[in-house]
Amino acid sequence: MTRVAIIGGHGKIALRLATILAARGDQVTSIIRNPEHAADVAATGAVPVVADIETLDTTGIATAISEHDAVVWSAGAGGGDQARTYSVDRDAAIRSMDAAVRAGVHRYVMVSYFGAGPDHGVPEDNSFHAYAEAKAAADTYLRSTDLQWTILGPSRLTDDEGSGKVSLGGDRTEGDEVSRDNVAQVAAEVLARPETAHKVIEFNDGDTPIPDAVARA
């Protein structure tokens, strides 16, 4: 049994991931900001913990994730407010990495996006720019740590039913997409495979069964 802490536990991917992990016997803690979401989280089989990651300092986050084997960052500000985007998607994410080191939780899985990085190419006048900058900073920082990190880069997300199959890498093109179901399945597979540490896995919906795709990543 693996003990997994999911930060951003009420997100659509996080709820799906918690369901998968709990069903296979993992012990899941889902960290959420809004106590009204606790019932939704509990329904997945995870234990809800109410904590505002945006305002917690490194010590506070370390306390929330201590005694776990892995952390999954699946939180996000949700766009719109640039200041909050930087506060959550960059600053809080980086604090969570420092907290994982402090708490001795060495496995860290980051849910990012396909094409994230310093050369993301999103113009400053695009509403996505702040998010792209925040994720670039967070992902770059994660890669500099001693954590056993894996960065997941799904393309445009949909709520379609998961096929259980993806396509890895390549150049992202307009129209590429992936279901949140499949993203959750990829995250679950990565958590079960320590050999995926120090890898960036970018993917779309595709034709390769997820276990096979992750094994080849």
Side-chain angles (χ1 to χ4, degrees), residues 43-114:
T44 69
V47 176
V49 171
V50 178
D52 188 350
I53 292 298
E54 184 179 5
T55 59
L56 281 180
D57 61 12
T58 301
T59 299
I61 300 174
T63 299
I65 65 175
S66 65
E67 300 184 0
H68 289 81
D69 302 307
V71 174
V72 178
W73 178 274
S74 192
D81 185 330
Q82 287 194 10
R84 187 160 186 269
T85 295
Y86 285 117
S87 178
V88 175
D89 294 289
R90 181 190 63 192
D91 302 341
I94 288 172
R95 286 199 304 277
S96 77
M97 299 165 201
D98 292 339
V101 172
R102 184 174 299 184
V105 184
H106 300 295
R107 189 73 169 105
Y108 191 109
V109 175
M110 166 66 75
V111 179
S112 187
Y113 72 93
F114 201 132

Side-chain angles (χ1 to χ4, degrees), residues 26-200:
D26 292 341
Q27 180 179 314
V28 184
T29 300
S30 289
I31 299 171
I32 56 176
R33 180 174 60 89
N34 188 343
E36 294 181 1
H37 294 158
D40 293 339
V41 168
T44 69
V47 176
V49 171
V50 178
D52 188 350
I53 292 298
E54 184 179 5
T55 59
L56 281 180
D57 61 12
T58 301
T59 299
I61 300 174
T63 299
I65 65 175
S66 65
E67 300 184 0
H68 289 81
D69 302 307
V71 174
V72 178
W73 178 274
S74 192
D81 185 330
Q82 287 194 10
R84 187 160 186 269
T85 295
Y86 285 117
S87 178
V88 175
D89 294 289
R90 181 190 63 192
D91 302 341
I94 288 172
R95 286 199 304 277
S96 77
M97 299 165 201
D98 292 339
V101 172
R102 184 174 299 184
V105 184
H106 300 295
R107 189 73 169 105
Y108 191 109
V109 175
M110 166 66 75
V111 179
S112 187
Y113 72 93
F114 201 132
D119 57 348
H120 55 73
V122 180
E124 290 188 25
D125 60 355
N126 188 301
S127 61
F128 192 71
H129 180 78
Y131 180 75
E133 285 285 289
K135 294 302 280 187
D139 291 0
T140 299
Y141 189 86
L142 179 57
R143 294 172 74 156
S144 75
T145 70
D146 292 329
L147 294 168
Q148 296 296 301
W149 56 264
T150 304
I151 298 172
L152 303 183
S155 58
R156 189 180 71 84
L157 300 172
T158 75
D159 286 323
D160 294 343
E161 184 176 353
S163 64
K165 297 179 180 181
V166 296
S167 175
L168 293 185
D171 294 326
R172 183 177 180 183
T173 59
E174 187 175 354
D176 285 345
E177 60 187 25
V178 61
S179 71
R180 289 177 172 87
D181 282 349
N182 280 349
V183 178
Q185 290 181 52
V186 170
E189 189 68 26
V190 161
L191 285 166
R193 293 179 179 269
E195 67 271 20
T196 59
H198 302 143
K199 293 184 177 181
V200 178

